[in-house]
Amino acid sequence: MAARAQRSCGLWALLLLGGMSAGVLGTTGFIKSPLSQRRLTQDSVELYCEAIGNPIPEIQWWFEGNDPNETSAQLWDGAWQDRVKINATYNLHSTSTISISNLTTEDSGMYECRASNDPDRNHLSKSPKVKWIRSQANVFVIERPDIKTQVTAVAGKLVLTCNMSASTTAIEGHEWVRGEKVLHTDSGSSSVTSYTIEGNMEEHSGLYECVYKGNPVVKGQVNISVPPQVVPYKKSEHGNEGDTGVLTCRSPSFPPVSSWVWYKNGQEPIVNGSGRYIIKSSGNKTELRILKLNIEEDTGDYHCNATNSQGYGGAVVNLRVRSRLAALWPFLGIVAEVLVLVTIIFIYEKRRKPDEVLDDDDGGSAPLKSNATNHKDKNIRQRNAN
């Protein structure tokens, strides 16, 4: 039915566009109309309306409750103790969105989008030549059912359970969600749904949602709450003298950390901004910066302690401060190795030099022996000739 209404609005818009291109003024029509919805108490609802015309029409929102004696009343931005918000834009055509937050059963009723571009539409004494066109949507607000939740630890497993009281809407299935990740889904219609996790509470603390599919969707929250499980970014940090040292701790557990405290072993808690210390904490992470590190004063163990509604926890980070010259020692070691290697090569070459000269003398006498042989052969040939 809603799709049929949208198609009829689209056809009407095409007719209007054709009329406006022919020069017809004063014609107004809806491109999009608000759709009826079902919501739970404490939820919010949003209705959308879009109109076209020449000149550009104005859009108003009106409400009429389910009480037979209640009359229609115009809604304004900020109405109903600022629970009503209306946003409108007028560019080529008109668009308007109305949203109502923290719904109650008294918000059930008919919401009407009205559009008109008649110059006398808001005149107190003159009647407009073109009446306001209207598009209506019903909003049904039903009482939110009560959902009882439970977390049970059994044999190294956690069983999360939701039990919804009687609801006026049919249950079409269940989902278990953590953050944006769907952990489990089924198509059952029971008012009780469970989800099992392998492990202990410290490993799986957080906020879980049990979702009952239907119209409207009903959600419950299951909290696995533990004291802070503090983990250092590094158990041991190194820094050079004169540089800035950075120590970091975090806590991935739920609920979030409400306060962080840093202190050095055997000393009073470190105050942010005192001396050379700067502390930056946000939610489940904290960072301690130490300016101009000093070998004698800053070397040691630093404790980061966290507190939440379930208790407290902590971790230790060891800081080692090195001299500025410490970074040169590896380089100097390499230079020393190169020098030793060059010296060894030089000595080796020095010792080989006499042997190489002797080899050259031996090689020079070889041709003399060859010449003597040649002379002997020459004398033999001469005697034969005689």
Side-chain angles (χ1 to χ4, degrees), residues 300-339:
D301 292 333
Y302 290 80
H303 299 253
C304 51
N305 286 359
T307 305
N308 66 8
S309 59
Q310 301 299 308
Y312 64 91
V316 179
V317 184
N318 179 261
L319 176 62
R320 298 179 181 178
V321 182
R322 300 171 297 193
S323 170
R324 275 193 172 278
L325 298 177
L328 296 176
W329 291 119
F331 174 74
L332 294 177
I334 294 173
V335 172
E337 290 179 0
V338 172
L339 292 175

Side-chain angles (χ1 to χ4, degrees), residues 147-153 158-162 176-179 183 195 197 200-210 219-227 253-256 308-310:
I147 298 178
K148 295 182 179 180
T149 63
Q150 185 178 5
V151 179
T152 308
L158 297 175
V159 181
L160 283 57
T161 305
C162 284
W176 282 90
V177 181
R178 185 182 185 186
L183 305 173
Y195 177 67
I197 306 173
N200 53 39
M201 299 182 69
E202 287 74 17
E203 296 173 345
H204 300 284
S205 65
L207 181 63
Y208 297 78
E209 281 188 331
C210 54
K219 298 181 180 180
Q221 292 185 343
V222 181
N223 297 331
I224 300 181
S225 302
V226 297
S253 51
F254 182 87
N308 66 8
S309 59
Q310 301 299 308

